[in-house]
Amino acid sequence: MYKLYSMQRSGNSYKVRLALAFLDAPYRAIEVDILSGESRTPDFLAKNPSGQVPLLEVAEGRYLAESNAILWYLGVGTSLAPESRIDRADALQWMFFEQHALEPNIGAAYFWLSLVKGGRDLQTHALEDWMERGYAALQVMENHLKDNDYFAAGQLTIADIALYGYTHVADQCDFDLEAFPAIGAWLKRVQQSPGYVSMNWRPESISDDAPGIAAEA
């Protein structure tokens, strides 16, 4: 059984939990509070030197970090990973886009405005850039979704899961999603997919014995 170190309200952690739910894959969840430094302990850093969540233990002592790498690992060989060469490249293209255009802006805004107490005051200097670049990323997604139901292969894939993680909470950090109707329709399609779970959902096999993170939140 997989062992997943994650933080409940982390968008990157949620991506992995959502993929596992779509795949109906059993796992043991260990909550790691990045805000109190639980991922910076010697024990955790021995598992992941970058001190980030999510972190998936795929076998005894074998750990995989980086949310989109974990999604690819989980998705290969399932319906969540396209089979054809071009469709796989298309999915990866959008996953790279998520990491360089969406996560650094909407993800950063979500972390500081929604998770960190007083974060808005601490990041006033960065907020304007996050908003400008975040809206630009949303517009790219909107343009694609005007003519496509999903981001790759014409079906739900790990590319959609990667992009869904922070897009669906963008309205919690000052982004107005009403201006993006195609994104709104796509969010509903993802939410109506069999196996979908919300960010607040917790698996039954959850543990709080985290190795006692402002990492990949």
Side-chain angles (χ1 to χ4, degrees):
M1 180 184 291
Y2 295 128
K3 185 183 294 184
L4 176 64
Y5 298 84
S6 75
M7 179 177 169
Q8 191 69 30
R9 295 186 63 194
S10 156
N12 282 315
S13 293
Y14 172 51
K15 291 184 222 173
V16 178
R17 297 197 307 272
L18 183 55
L20 288 165
F22 280 138
L23 294 171
D24 194 24
Y27 65 99
R28 179 187 175 201
I30 298 177
E31 180 72 7
V32 180
D33 184 0
I34 68 173
L35 300 176
S36 64
E38 288 181 352
S39 70
R40 296 296 175 179
T41 65
D43 186 47
F44 191 89
L45 290 172
K47 296 178 176 66
N48 182 14
S50 66
Q52 296 180 338
V53 291
L55 180 69
L56 186 70
E57 185 173 9
V58 299
E60 184 68 30
R62 185 64 187 269
Y63 300 94
L64 187 60
E66 299 297 334
S67 58
N68 286 354
I70 297 172
L71 289 183
W72 191 256
Y73 174 85
L74 294 172
V76 170
T78 77
S79 63
L80 293 180
E83 293 186 4
S84 77
R85 184 178 181 182
I86 185 60
D87 285 343
R88 285 193 172 191
D90 204 14
L92 283 170
Q93 168 182 261
W94 283 107
M95 294 171 81
F96 293 146
F97 170 85
E98 187 269 341
Q99 282 293 285
H100 75 70
L102 191 75
E103 196 272 349
N105 298 299
I106 296 178
Y110 170 73
F111 179 80
W112 287 101
L113 302 187
S114 298
L115 302 186
V116 178
K117 185 177 182 179
R120 183 182 297 273
D121 293 334
L122 293 172
Q123 296 295 328
T124 301
H125 62 287
L127 186 55
E128 184 176 348
D129 283 344
W130 289 340
M131 298 302 292
E132 179 180 354
R133 295 170 186 169
Y135 271 121
L138 290 171
Q139 189 60 60
V140 171
M141 294 169 62
E142 177 75 9
N143 292 342
H144 175 81
L145 291 168
K146 287 176 181 177
D147 300 311
N148 300 275
D149 287 343
Y150 299 99
F151 282 95
Q155 65 180 56
L156 179 74
T157 69
I158 50 177
D160 297 282
I161 296 172
L163 289 159
Y164 182 85
Y166 281 110
T167 303
H168 91 289
V169 292
D171 59 351
Q172 297 181 28
C173 50
D174 293 2
F175 289 92
D176 180 11
L177 292 181
E178 293 297 323
F180 303 98
I183 288 179
W186 166 74
L187 291 174
K188 290 180 181 178
R189 281 192 290 276
V190 174
Q191 292 160 6
Q192 292 168 356
S193 300
Y196 172 84
V197 294
S198 70
M199 179 181 276
N200 293 330
W201 176 84
R202 290 175 178 266
E204 292 182 1
S205 57
I206 190 165
S207 172
D208 290 316
D209 61 343
I213 281 181
E216 196 186 11

